[in-house]
Amino acid sequence: MEIESVRCECCGLKEDCTQDYINDVKAKFDGKWLCGLCSEAVRDEVSRSKKKQFGVEEAVEAHMSFCGKFRSNPAVRVADGMRQLLRRSGDNSPSSSKKLTRSATTKLY
């Protein structure tokens, strides 16, 4: 089994996959390879819009358009989000200005 690196056509995330898996995903999504997160988003869009007869092709195009607005490495976006979260939580906590020290009752043996 040969492993290939493939890039999601929506968000740009790279994954290492077998050729069989790549072909299977492409068959499900109109010839486009989508990462797991994007494929779940497309499936969700299709299942939620059955009344509108929103097909896979339209859902893939809509999701690709959405991802294009925020096109950057997904790992970088997660890291940026965590950095902002930590920065906010550190700024708002009353203990952020206090130094951490050992209590007087701590004994080291």
Side-chain angles (χ1 to χ4, degrees):
M1 241 184 251
E2 191 171 320
I3 303 294
E4 286 187 39
S5 185
V6 64
R7 183 180 299 272
C8 177
E9 294 188 42
C10 287
C11 71
L13 179 72
K14 283 177 106 176
E15 289 187 34
D16 293 331
C17 306
T18 63
Q19 189 60 49
D20 289 340
Y21 180 73
I22 293 168
N23 292 337
D24 186 42
V25 171
K26 284 183 174 184
K28 291 177 184 174
F29 297 107
D30 197 36
K32 294 175 176 59
W33 192 85
L34 306 181
C35 70
L37 187 60
C38 290
S39 63
E40 283 301 315
V42 169
R43 279 190 210 116
D44 184 58
E45 186 65 37
V46 169
S47 69
R48 286 189 298 134
S49 58
K50 290 214 185 247
K51 295 175 187 171
K52 299 178 196 175
Q53 303 258 332
F54 205 61
V56 172
E57 184 178 344
E58 292 86 3
V60 168
E61 292 301 320
H63 188 69
M64 287 180 78
S65 174
F66 173 80
C67 284
K69 293 176 186 175
F70 306 100
R71 186 82 174 201
S72 71
N73 186 331
V76 172
R77 291 194 308 254
V78 170
D80 284 342
M82 291 300 295
R83 182 178 45 81
Q84 289 174 6
L85 178 69
L86 291 171
R87 188 176 285 160
R88 286 183 196 141
S89 67
D91 291 343
N92 295 333
S93 68
S95 64
S96 64
S97 61
K98 296 180 184 177
K99 286 187 177 181
L100 296 176
T101 59
R102 234 175 242 235
S103 69
T105 60
T106 303
K107 294 181 183 180
L108 296 175
Y109 295 98

